Amino acid sequence: MKQALCASAALFCILTLLSPLSSPASRAAEAVDSARVAAPTHPALWMQAVSIFELNKNLVPGKVFQKIQELEKDGRVKSETDVDVALSLDDAGKIKTEIVKASKDGKDITAEQRKKADETAKKQAKDDAAKKASKKDAAGESDEHSHSFSLDDTPFNPERQNDVHVTETARGETIDGTRCACFEFSYPEKRPTGAKGKPATIKGKAWIDESSGRPVKLEYVSDPLPKHVKSMSTTLRYGADANDSWVVKEMIFEARGSFLFIGKSIRGDISLGDYWKYKEPAPQK
């Protein structure tokens, strides 16, 4: 299951495909053995995090709050766009995204953002239809000033364990009172058929609770960076949701680059909550 949210700024469009990693701790160990079969050389603690992802990959955040800031050279905030988004099921049993409220520098832009979201949805539907007709992935022709990433593409996804290189570092760390083991990881970026250029390598660090196997924090970068981007990093933070599931609670990204010879710096903070479980609708006969 994949669901798209768009957080836009002057330089970048960060496209988040939400298939979040989450789990009650009591269920985490049940799939460890099956996950270990896919990558027998990975550390046991890492495989516990993989199992947590697999058991709860269909949880969807009901509420998403996005704060996107454009920064001055000295780090001061030049402009800020805030967007509240709600995700729910439509009458056909598919996930729908609604912009509840949006503002830019204190000015209400809800109507404008809803219009942009509708236009994006229509374009995506058109691209999907073209892709189906030509059997090619239209995502390979995306705008050069955009960058997309998916929570399905985290290093904990069981389907990519054969491609992930994992090394446990010698030094652990305590994060918010939790003792964590630190792992360095890398894996090739998943690219759509027909995409131009060579695939990038995702490189980063993951901090995992030593006692439960729960992911606590994840940091990563892309090598090489997208065109016109000079630096970009992403951080995911995990925590307990109201229903006691262990989920992605916050996504933070920072990026710097140039557009039309004008330097831009962007910082984004995306909070996720009110998770619910998505079930694929039954196929139509």
Side-chain angles (χ1 to χ4, degrees):
M1 180 279 297
K2 292 186 177 181
Q3 173 62 34
L5 296 176
C6 190
S8 60
L11 177 60
F12 304 102
C13 177
I14 305 299
L15 180 64
T16 309
L17 301 177
L18 294 170
S19 184
L21 181 159
S22 51
S23 172
S26 60
R27 299 171 57 194
E30 296 178 5
V32 172
D33 290 338
S34 60
R36 187 178 290 116
V37 172
T41 60
H42 288 357
L45 192 64
W46 180 273
M47 295 312 300
Q48 284 184 265
V50 171
S51 299
I52 292 172
F53 180 103
E54 172 64 16
L55 285 171
N56 296 271
K57 62 184 179 181
N58 286 332
L59 286 181
V60 177
K63 293 182 180 180
V64 179
F65 175 72
Q66 304 174 98
K67 176 186 292 185
I68 313 298
Q69 297 175 326
E70 183 178 345
L71 307 177
E72 301 280 9
K73 290 183 178 180
D74 61 4
R76 290 182 298 112
V77 177
K78 180 179 180 180
S79 178
E80 179 177 309
T81 301
D82 298 333
V83 183
D84 278 302
V85 180
L87 287 85
S88 59
L89 289 179
D90 62 16
D91 294 338
K94 296 182 179 180
I95 299 175
K96 65 177 181 179
T97 302
E98 177 188 1
I99 295 178
V100 178
K101 184 179 180 181
S103 64
K104 183 173 183 179
D105 300 328
K107 178 183 177 181
D108 189 284
I109 57 169
T110 305
E112 175 186 336
Q113 290 297 305
R114 286 175 177 170
K115 182 179 179 181
K116 287 183 179 180
D118 288 341
E119 292 173 350
T120 300
K122 290 177 181 178
K123 182 180 183 301
Q124 184 63 52
K126 184 178 180 180
D127 288 346
D128 288 345
K131 177 180 67 177
K132 186 175 181 180
S134 64
K135 296 183 180 180
K136 292 182 179 180
D137 195 328
E141 304 300 326
S142 60
D143 187 281
E144 67 177 10
H145 301 300
S146 69
H147 177 64
S148 64
F149 56 89
S150 168
L151 293 185
D152 266 351
D153 292 335
T154 73
F156 302 120
N157 190 331
E159 295 179 4
R160 66 165 58 253
Q161 291 311 297
N162 289 331
D163 298 324
V164 176
H165 178 75
V166 180
T167 302
E168 185 172 0
T169 66
R171 186 182 67 179
E173 187 174 340
T174 300
I175 301 176
D176 297 331
T178 300
R179 186 63 183 173
C180 300
C182 179
F183 296 85
E184 293 182 346
F185 66 85
S186 64
Y187 60 90
E189 177 188 37
K190 183 178 180 181
R191 292 174 63 83
T193 304
K196 298 178 181 179
K198 295 182 179 180
T201 299
I202 306 301
K203 301 177 180 179
K205 293 182 178 181
W207 289 263
I208 300 175
D209 185 339
E210 291 181 348
S211 61
S212 68
R214 288 173 164 180
V216 174
K217 187 172 78 168
L218 185 73
E219 294 180 350
Y220 65 87
V221 296
S222 177
D223 182 23
L225 292 168
K227 191 175 181 180
H228 301 301
V229 178
K230 294 182 179 180
S231 66
M232 180 166 61
S233 63
T234 302
T235 300
L236 302 181
R237 294 183 178 274
Y238 302 86
D241 196 34
N243 60 6
D244 199 33
S245 293
W246 195 254
V247 296
V248 177
K249 298 289 289 183
E250 184 179 28
M251 180 187 307
I252 303 167
F253 66 86
E254 296 186 4
R256 182 171 59 88
S258 60
F259 178 60
L260 297 178
F261 306 104
I262 300 175
K264 300 283 186 179
S265 294
I266 302 294
R267 180 172 61 213
D269 192 328
I270 303 175
S271 300
L272 308 94
D274 288 2
Y275 278 80
W276 51 274
K277 191 165 186 176
Y278 173 79
K279 293 183 179 179
E280 292 281 356
Q284 297 181 349
K285 296 182 179 180

